[in-house]
Amino acid sequence: MSSTSAKEGISLSTQRLLGKVALVTGGATGIGESIVRLFHKHGAKVCLVDVQDNLGQHVCETLGEPKAFYFHCDVTTEDDVCRAVDFTVDKFGTLDILVNNAGVTGSPCNDIRNADLAEFEKVFDINVKGAFLGMKHAARIMIPQKKGSIVSLCSVASALGGIGPHPYTSSKYALLGLTKNVAAELGLHGIRVNCVSPYAVATNLALAHLPEEERTEDAWTGFRDFVGRNANLQGVELTVDDVANAVLFLASDESRYISGDNLMVDGGFTSVTHSLRVFR
């Protein structure tokens, strides 16, 4: 057992990504950071890409080279994504796993007549175009290898309307469609392509529409209370680690015959309705 594995309580025999190489977009904070740390804990070599340089470098410093590196990458710029993939392969020799985690929600707007087209395009650029570029450049490494796993962070908004702003919801439906289509193409090459769709999680993205000075403890408490009241599964708060565990499953060989799937991490939220108050 390595010293790192021993310290974190995972033996070499139970590390689920031992020997794998992963690239995680938007890995500096929130769900992405949790994915990076969990992958590293399970033996993967990880390239974390983000535009938040100080935060991304800090995460990698706490994990330690040569198993974790940071690379500045704007996922909406193809040259950045291309260079991030090449950087990962240059450092680690290959690419086995891509996690498209970078994403934004956009600002709340409850009247389409007031919608900002520039914001709509920005959300699509990051959430859909960014994932597409990641898939495109991961594929050029994975296809010759005849293996690989691509996991994109989607949302319960990929399954139901009325959960988020128009740009966010439509981008998540688009991301799910892209996932299924790319799974159809890359299945020929033994490459799996899936989504993970969580219910609301208390990360900075959840309150991104608020100025930083308004993201007070009361605001976080209010968010958690609201999310908890509207959840189907009661008594359990969804955390970034819960989402990361689902991504780990789809990235690992334990899900070796799962592709084109949208794994809901939502406590049944999208499977039931309590609008008729039958059980509530």
Side-chain angles (χ1 to χ4, degrees):
M1 184 187 296
S2 69
S3 58
T4 301
S5 300
K7 182 170 63 178
E8 299 194 3
I10 292 184
S11 68
L12 288 175
S13 62
T14 57
Q15 287 184 315
R16 295 155 70 183
L17 300 180
L18 190 61
K20 303 284 189 181
V21 173
L23 189 159
V24 180
T25 73
T29 58
I31 292 172
E33 179 184 355
S34 183
I35 292 168
V36 168
R37 293 188 181 279
L38 186 62
F39 277 20
H40 180 270
K41 184 177 179 180
H42 277 272
K45 297 173 182 176
V46 185
C47 179
L48 181 169
V49 305
D50 210 303
V51 293
Q52 304 175 91
D53 295 340
N54 290 338
L55 293 173
Q57 288 167 351
H58 173 71
V59 171
C60 288
E61 285 168 5
T62 63
L63 297 177
E65 297 180 3
K67 289 192 174 181
F69 287 94
Y70 174 77
F71 189 84
H72 179 92
C73 174
D74 176 351
V75 297
T76 69
T77 303
E78 182 162 14
D79 186 57
D80 274 18
V81 176
C82 178
R83 290 189 298 110
V85 169
D86 289 344
F87 174 85
T88 304
V89 175
D90 181 60
K91 288 293 183 183
F92 300 129
T94 189
L95 178 63
D96 301 297
I97 301 159
L98 168 69
V99 180
N100 290 310
N101 171 74
V104 294
T105 58
S107 302
C109 177
N110 61 4
D111 188 333
I112 196 169
R113 295 169 296 179
N114 300 325
D116 182 356
L117 180 59
E119 176 153 295
F120 189 96
E121 292 171 339
K122 176 185 175 182
V123 171
F124 259 75
D125 277 352
I126 295 172
N127 294 3
V128 185
K129 177 182 172 184
F132 171 78
L133 291 174
M135 293 175 182
K136 173 183 176 179
H137 287 283
R140 65 182 167 84
I141 306 301
M142 294 177 176
I143 287 174
Q145 299 174 164
K146 293 292 183 181
K147 63 177 182 176
S149 177
I150 297 172
V151 185
S152 297
L153 268 292
C154 211
S155 166
V156 287
S158 69
L160 291 173
I163 294 178
H166 297 315
Y168 180 74
T169 298
S170 50
S171 75
K172 292 305 183 180
Y173 267 86
L175 179 56
L176 177 57
L178 177 65
T179 294
K180 291 178 179 291
N181 227 46
V182 177
E185 177 188 349
L186 298 187
L188 178 66
H189 306 286
I191 300 164
R192 300 182 297 108
V193 189
N194 294 288
C195 280
V196 169
S197 285
Y199 183 55
V201 188
T203 67
N204 284 333
L205 195 65
L207 298 184
H209 61 285
L210 292 179
E212 198 160 338
E213 64 272 14
E214 293 182 24
R215 298 176 204 171
T216 62
E217 193 57 43
D218 285 345
W220 285 114
T221 299
F223 173 82
R224 288 188 171 94
D225 288 347
F226 177 80
V227 167
R229 285 195 308 273
N230 287 281
N232 176 64
L233 187 63
Q234 294 290 301
V236 182
E237 180 184 351
L238 179 64
T239 70
V240 293
D241 292 339
D242 296 317
V243 182
N245 278 320
V247 176
L248 172 65
F249 169 67
L250 290 175
S252 75
D253 291 339
E254 293 174 13
S255 58
R256 59 194 289 268
Y257 207 72
I258 298 175
S259 192
D261 193 32
N262 188 17
L263 176 55
M264 311 305 295
V265 186
D266 68 348
F269 178 80
T270 56
S271 298
V272 306
T273 177
H274 294 288
S275 59
L276 298 182
R277 315 301 296 176
V278 175
F279 301 112
R280 293 284 173 89

